[in-house]
Amino acid sequence: MIYLPIEKLTEGMELARNIPGLNPMLPFAVTGYILNERTINRMMNIGIQGAYIQTELTEGIEPVDIVEPELKAKMLISIQETFDESLKKVTFQTSRQIYENIADVAKTVVMNVLSMDKYLFQMIDIRDYDSYTYSHSLYVGILSVLIGRYIGLSISKLNDLALCGLLHDIGKTDIPIEITNKPGPLTNEEYEIMKQHPSLSYDKLFDCTSISQSVLQGIQTHHEKYDGSGYPFGLAGENIPLYGRILAIADVYDALSATRPYRKAWNPRKIFDYLTSCCNSHFDPELLSAFFQCVSAYPIGTIVKLSDGSTAVVKDNTPGFSLRPIIRFINPPSIAGKEINLSSEALNMTIVDIDD
């Protein structure tokens, strides 16, 4: 299969993976569905950024799910229920079940990451505008745990880190919806209100004695920047709690990888370049280096352009070589189907772009 951005989808293409719907348990379209113009337009209107497509030349190329789709759907429902309960002003202290449900999701995230053969995030998540909040929370949790695992955190700390990711934006339920759902850039006044959400998350969760201070502090500081220019406290360097420094990376990566009403999703390589440009200013350089070992710049199924003018699809990635994956050529026809490992073969060939 290959991943194609929405602009590249055409009538007659066959879906290789489900496209999630508003209800996580009911897909918008299922594997094997043949796309038509009406469906593609609907996908575009609800903010789905692309799809995995089946082709003969890419047979056997399969992205690896960190969380199986059915389990992911159940986890998204639990996250949504937690946020919905938060809207009712029910506290975690008075509703023990709310905490237990989200804590179970956190543990499931950790167990799934630890059970992987490769600790490498190498797929593009497909989502729409409406599922963004819950998918974002889940993927910030997953990405944070990947970093935490790489730097050697204990399972108990990984569970805490996952919980940080799942709950880091829960304070946004106290922000006016016309600000959180605004289909465009915020005004200065609106941005100042939005900047309150880390502290609102902290306040909302503070009374729950089951949530550690480390988790609370991580949530409250996920918008601090390494150079001290972040908020709410303007902390710098290692004065920012470890969980906050990890969440900062995961939060920005996942936010940029999703299509929003006012911005197209960035491809993974573009995000890598942006994160690199913010090293030492926004992000802890050592943690950012760890992140680059855990996430692929070229996820499986991505079509890439090479320095010799050829085009290929990414078949797999080798941990530690995120910029040099295993590829299968698509064009020119004379070498279509040939595979090479850019990380191990003595080639001058490099990837110059993602075909998006």
Side-chain angles (χ1 to χ4, degrees):
M1 69 177 71
I2 57 172
Y3 175 83
L4 293 178
I6 189 74
E7 296 83 2
K8 302 278 186 175
L9 299 179
T10 59
E11 195 164 26
M13 288 181 171
E14 179 184 347
L15 287 182
R17 287 200 164 204
N18 288 358
I19 295 176
L22 181 59
N23 182 332
M25 301 301 291
L26 299 174
F28 173 85
V30 298
T31 300
Y33 179 81
I34 306 301
L35 292 175
N36 56 51
E37 186 175 349
R38 180 173 176 269
T39 301
I40 295 170
N41 287 335
R42 286 179 60 204
M43 290 167 62
M44 192 173 296
N45 289 337
I46 63 175
I48 293 173
Q49 65 261 43
Y52 285 98
I53 300 299
Q54 197 65 263
T55 72
E56 186 175 339
L57 188 58
T58 59
E59 187 176 352
I61 295 178
E62 185 81 23
V64 179
D65 291 295
I66 289 183
V67 179
E68 289 297 321
E70 184 175 344
L71 178 59
K72 174 187 170 185
K74 293 177 180 178
M75 294 165 76
L76 288 173
I77 289 173
S78 293
I79 295 168
Q80 181 174 354
E81 289 174 347
T82 300
F83 276 65
D84 288 346
E85 289 298 311
S86 174
L87 280 168
K88 299 174 186 177
K89 309 298 182 184
V90 178
T91 69
F92 276 55
Q93 184 65 25
T94 57
S95 182
R96 179 76 181 178
Q97 190 62 44
I98 299 175
Y99 168 75
E100 290 178 351
N101 287 348
I102 203 68
D104 285 343
V105 174
K107 292 175 183 176
T108 302
V109 167
V110 172
M111 289 299 100
N112 274 263
V113 169
L114 293 178
S115 67
M116 293 173 61
D117 291 333
K118 293 181 181 178
Y119 298 95
L120 191 64
F121 188 87
Q122 50 179 339
M123 66 173 296
I124 295 175
D125 182 47
I126 298 172
R127 54 186 128 175
D128 59 25
Y129 294 148
D130 290 325
S131 68
Y132 172 76
T133 297
Y134 315 117
S135 296
H136 177 64
S137 298
L138 176 58
Y139 278 98
V140 170
I142 290 172
L143 293 167
S144 297
V145 170
L146 281 167
I147 299 171
R149 177 265 160 195
Y150 186 85
I151 65 174
L153 296 185
S154 67
I155 291 181
S156 64
K157 289 184 177 179
L158 292 178
N159 287 334
D160 278 352
L161 191 53
L163 195 58
C164 279
L166 298 175
L167 296 174
H168 76 287
D169 273 349
I170 199 167
K172 287 185 177 179
T173 59
D174 290 338
I175 302 290
I177 195 168
E178 58 269 20
I179 294 178
T180 56
N181 288 353
K182 185 177 179 180
L186 301 179
T187 66
N188 290 337
E189 293 77 11
E190 290 168 339
Y191 182 56
E192 289 302 316
I193 294 173
M194 182 64 83
K195 284 167 62 176
Q196 298 173 17
H197 80 268
S199 293
L200 291 172
S201 298
Y202 179 93
D203 294 341
K204 187 180 290 290
L205 302 171
F206 182 78
D207 287 335
C208 182
T209 56
S210 299
I211 298 180
S212 70
Q213 276 297 311
S214 295
V215 171
L216 293 174
Q217 290 170 4
I219 289 169
Q220 193 175 25
T221 59
H222 74 273
H223 278 291
E224 299 288 354
K225 295 183 179 181
Y226 202 67
D227 65 0
S229 64
Y231 61 87
F233 304 118
L235 301 175
E238 294 190 5
N239 288 324
I240 304 169
L242 175 62
Y243 294 169
R245 282 179 278 146
I246 292 174
L247 257 65
I249 298 170
D251 180 52
V252 172
Y253 179 88
D254 188 74
L256 292 176
S257 70
T259 293
R260 307 300 295 131
Y262 51 87
R263 173 186 50 75
K264 179 185 174 183
W266 290 15
N267 70 55
R269 177 56 196 267
K270 182 178 179 180
I271 303 174
F272 264 50
D273 291 342
Y274 174 77
L275 295 180
T276 300
S277 73
C278 296
C279 186
N280 288 312
S281 59
H282 193 154
F283 307 115
D284 180 325
E286 292 187 7
L287 292 176
L288 187 59
S289 177
F291 175 79
F292 288 151
Q293 302 301 313
C294 302
V295 177
S296 173
Y298 303 109
I300 291 175
T302 303
I303 298 177
V304 293
K305 299 175 184 177
L306 293 115
S307 54
D308 66 347
S310 60
T311 304
V313 60
V314 175
K315 181 185 179 183
D316 203 354
N317 284 274
T318 305
F321 296 91
S322 61
L323 300 180
R324 301 187 66 81
I326 300 167
I327 60 172
R328 181 185 296 174
F329 286 103
I330 298 174
N331 280 309
S334 60
I335 58 172
K338 178 184 177 182
E339 297 180 2
I340 61 172
N341 186 340
L342 293 175
S343 71
S344 61
E345 299 195 22
L347 300 170
N348 293 323
M349 187 183 305
T350 58
I351 295 173
V352 296
D353 199 6
I354 287 181
D355 186 13
D356 64 352

